[in-house]
């Protein structure tokens, strides 16, 4: 089952210094999914990415650009893009990196999985399910990703194999129900946060295997602060969710302290 011709998709590409990658990513995305629209959310890139994005938009009505005043974080960029897309009535809102690591050619398969059932609220392009893979990634980064996802699964009781993945198709109705004012995750734990919110809203999550390839140009935005943020937030969410599930068990020791 594929999305109906009336279904409207929006691919959101947050950018910061992605001038060398953006043109190729936009070209591949429109080739893979000609009916889609693309929204570039640029954080005032010093390398001129935002200006270059405007030239792409001027030559193709499917490309749109939003400019932000500085480097305000990945999560905030996606929230801005979600709001823009929801206001304009798109049916599917897609997260995708602008560095070329997420293969646009997987979009048709991901949309097919998203439209297979009304219960599916999110489809993740997954590196860590059967058939998924990574290429040219430093062993340290691969280990970090595997450990982070294992930790999230254990602490939060998730069955999702790649909760930190940033390649995603969301049903618009799912995002419309989120309270984004309460989201303060900035790094990849933003993805874990929205994974939890999707499940808590009663929607199913599907994972489609992808081949993830390390960027060819530019540098990764990963930092120690992003890793620490994720560790602290996942631990905090785990405690909060256990308190909600077992209020009497948690309250008893505190009362006897």
């Amino acid at each position: 089952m594929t999305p109906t011709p009336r279904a409207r998709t929006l691919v959101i590409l947050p950018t910061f210094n992605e001038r060398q990658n953006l043109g190729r990513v936009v070209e591949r995305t429109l080739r893979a999914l000609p009916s889609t629209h693309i929204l570039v959310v640029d954080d005032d890139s010093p390398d001129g990415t935002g200006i270059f994005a405007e030239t792409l938009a001027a030559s193709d009505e499917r490309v749109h650009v939003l400019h932000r005043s500085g480097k305000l974080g990945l999560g905030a960029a996606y929230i801005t893009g979600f709001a823009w897309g929801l206001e304009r009535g798109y049916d599917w809102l897609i997260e995708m990196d602008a560095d070329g690591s997420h293969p646009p050619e997987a979009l048709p398969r991901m949309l097919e999985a998203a439209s297979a059932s009304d219960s599916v609220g999110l489809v993740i392009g997954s590196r860590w399910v059967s058939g998924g893979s990574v290429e040219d990634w430093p062993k340290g980064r691969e280990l970090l990703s595997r450990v982070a996802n294992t930790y999230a699964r254990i602490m939060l009781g998730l069955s999702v194999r790649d909760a930190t993945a940033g390649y995603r198709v969301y049903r618009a109705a799912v995002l419309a129900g989120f309270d984004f004012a309460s989201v303060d995750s900035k790094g990849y734990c933003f993805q874990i946060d929205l994974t939890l919110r999707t499940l808590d809203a009663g929607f199913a999550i599907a994972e489609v295997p992808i081949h993830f390839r390390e960027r060819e140009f530019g540098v990764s935005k990963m930092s120690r602060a992003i890793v620490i943020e994720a560790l602290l937030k996942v631990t905090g969410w785990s405690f909060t969710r256990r308190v909600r599930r077992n209020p009497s068990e948690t309250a008893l020791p505190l009362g006897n302290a």
Side-chain angles (χ1 to χ4, degrees):
M1 178 179 179
T2 57
T4 65
R6 294 173 55 191
R8 300 178 64 228
T9 63
L10 178 68
V11 175
I12 302 168
L13 296 175
T15 57
F16 184 77
N17 289 346
E18 296 292 356
R19 170 66 179 80
Q20 292 177 287
N21 296 308
L22 183 61
R24 177 62 174 156
V25 170
V26 168
E27 178 188 354
R28 289 174 60 195
T29 300
L30 293 176
R31 186 186 307 136
L33 208 65
S35 62
T36 198
H37 284 193
I38 295 173
L39 176 65
V40 179
V41 183
D42 185 66
D43 276 7
D44 196 24
S45 297
D47 73 345
T49 301
I51 297 172
F52 177 65
E54 290 288 357
T55 67
L56 296 176
S59 62
D60 195 319
E61 63 182 7
R62 295 170 293 179
V63 181
H64 313 272
V65 186
L66 284 179
H67 299 277
R68 301 203 302 167
S69 60
K71 192 174 181 181
L72 304 177
L74 181 68
Y78 276 127
I79 290 173
T80 297
F82 292 154
W84 192 94
L86 291 172
E87 288 174 0
R88 287 158 179 80
Y90 290 92
D91 301 300
W92 308 99
L93 292 98
I94 299 169
E95 295 184 13
M96 190 166 74
D97 286 352
D99 61 9
S101 59
H102 295 151
E105 294 76 17
L107 281 173
R109 289 186 290 117
M110 292 172 67
L111 282 165
E112 183 176 358
S115 61
S117 170
D118 290 342
S119 66
V120 177
L122 164 63
V123 173
I124 297 174
S126 179
R127 299 158 292 187
W128 308 130
V129 294
S130 178
S133 61
V134 297
E135 180 181 349
D136 296 332
W137 229 18
K139 290 298 183 182
R141 282 292 302 278
E142 179 175 346
L143 179 62
L144 175 62
S145 179
R146 289 184 180 275
V147 170
N149 277 287
T150 299
Y151 185 73
R153 285 201 307 275
I154 294 172
M155 296 297 287
L156 301 173
L158 298 175
S159 60
V160 174
R161 303 292 300 180
D162 201 352
T164 66
Y167 196 13
R168 297 175 169 226
V169 174
Y170 281 99
R171 187 179 296 273
V174 175
L175 295 174
F178 289 169
D179 174 20
F180 283 111
S182 65
V183 177
D184 63 354
S185 308
K186 297 180 177 59
Y188 66 77
C189 70
F190 171 80
Q191 311 296 359
I192 303 174
D193 190 345
L194 266 60
T195 298
L196 288 173
R197 290 171 189 255
T198 300
L199 293 171
D200 288 347
F203 288 92
I205 297 176
E207 295 186 85
V208 170
I210 65 163
H211 178 69
F212 179 98
R213 183 177 182 180
E214 178 64 300
R215 63 166 60 241
E216 183 176 356
F217 301 107
V219 296
S220 171
K221 311 301 190 298
M222 181 63 67
S223 68
R224 180 178 297 181
I226 289 175
V227 175
I228 293 173
E229 178 199 31
L231 175 62
L232 293 176
K233 285 190 176 296
V234 168
T235 303
W237 292 333
S238 174
F239 176 76
T240 300
R241 293 168 78 82
R242 290 177 185 179
V243 168
R244 289 174 181 170
R245 284 197 298 265
N246 303 296
S248 59
E249 294 178 16
T250 304
L252 183 60
L254 293 176
N256 289 341

